């Protein structure tokens, strides 16, 4: 195999983002906003979410998360309210505007995941395991 793994992963990621961007555009949001709405929806019932959770989930820097969340708040996609425990922290929740599209977003991501599993066939579990291993190894390299 002469292909570089990193380039293949980067190209696949670009294609997946473009595909998601087409769906997000139909809703009137960006692909990143769609991902954040989905993340908040999947997690807000089980725990309070803060900017640091968004930073970790999407592997982005604090300044990028700040700009993203401020814009989402301005577009009335999320609400950030001060935490009762620590006023410096703001709890992120979805607005009614986001609640209107969350089922469509969730359906898109579920169907996309199923399609990827179909493409991979019997190799889907091994591929997922390999990606998780690569992620863990890269995070370990970055931590040192």
């Amino acid at each position: 195999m002469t292909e570089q793994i990193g380039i293949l992963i980067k190209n696949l990621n670009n294609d997946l983002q473009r595909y998601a961007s087409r769906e997000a555009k139909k809703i009137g949001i960006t692909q990143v906003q769609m991902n954040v709405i989905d993340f908040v929806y999947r997690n807000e019932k089980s725990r309070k979410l803060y900017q640091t959770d968004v930073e970790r989930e999407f592997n982005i820097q604090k300044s990028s998360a700040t700009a993203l969340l401020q814009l989402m708040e301005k577009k009335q996609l999320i609400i950030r309210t001060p935490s009762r425990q620590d006023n410096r922290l703001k709890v992120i929740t979805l607005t009614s505007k986001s609640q209107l599209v969350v089922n469509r977003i969730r359906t898109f991501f579920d169907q996309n995941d199923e399609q990827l599993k179909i493409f991979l066939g019997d190799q889907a579990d091994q591929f997922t395991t390999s990606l998780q291993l690569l992620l863990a190894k890269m995070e370990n390299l970055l931590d040192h």
Side-chain angles (χ1 to χ4, degrees), residues 22-105:
R22 279 197 304 196
E23 184 66 21
K25 190 174 184 179
K26 293 174 190 174
I27 300 171
I29 59 178
T30 68
Q31 173 258 328
V32 175
Q33 291 167 346
M34 186 167 80
N35 284 325
V36 171
I37 291 169
D38 183 60
F39 171 68
V40 173
Y41 172 74
R42 287 182 292 110
N43 291 280
E44 71 179 349
K45 287 177 180 58
S46 61
R47 63 187 171 114
K48 292 189 184 318
L49 296 170
Y50 305 97
Q51 178 170 321
T52 53
D53 296 309
V54 173
E55 292 166 13
R56 255 192 314 275
E57 176 70 12
F58 298 104
N59 196 16
I60 58 176
Q61 295 183 355
K62 184 177 183 170
S63 59
S64 298
T66 299
L68 169 62
L69 294 173
Q70 284 175 344
L71 182 59
M72 289 184 74
E73 193 169 34
K74 185 177 179 182
K75 289 182 136 195
Q76 299 177 344
L77 297 170
I78 61 165
I79 298 169
R80 294 186 302 166
T81 53
S83 166
R84 292 181 189 174
Q85 289 77 25
D86 186 344
N87 261 351
R88 296 172 295 175
L89 298 176
K90 301 219 179 336
V91 178
I92 301 167
T93 55
L94 296 179
T95 62
S96 56
K97 181 177 179 179
S98 287
Q99 291 289 348
L100 291 174
V101 295
V102 79
N103 287 336
R104 182 174 175 176
I105 291 170

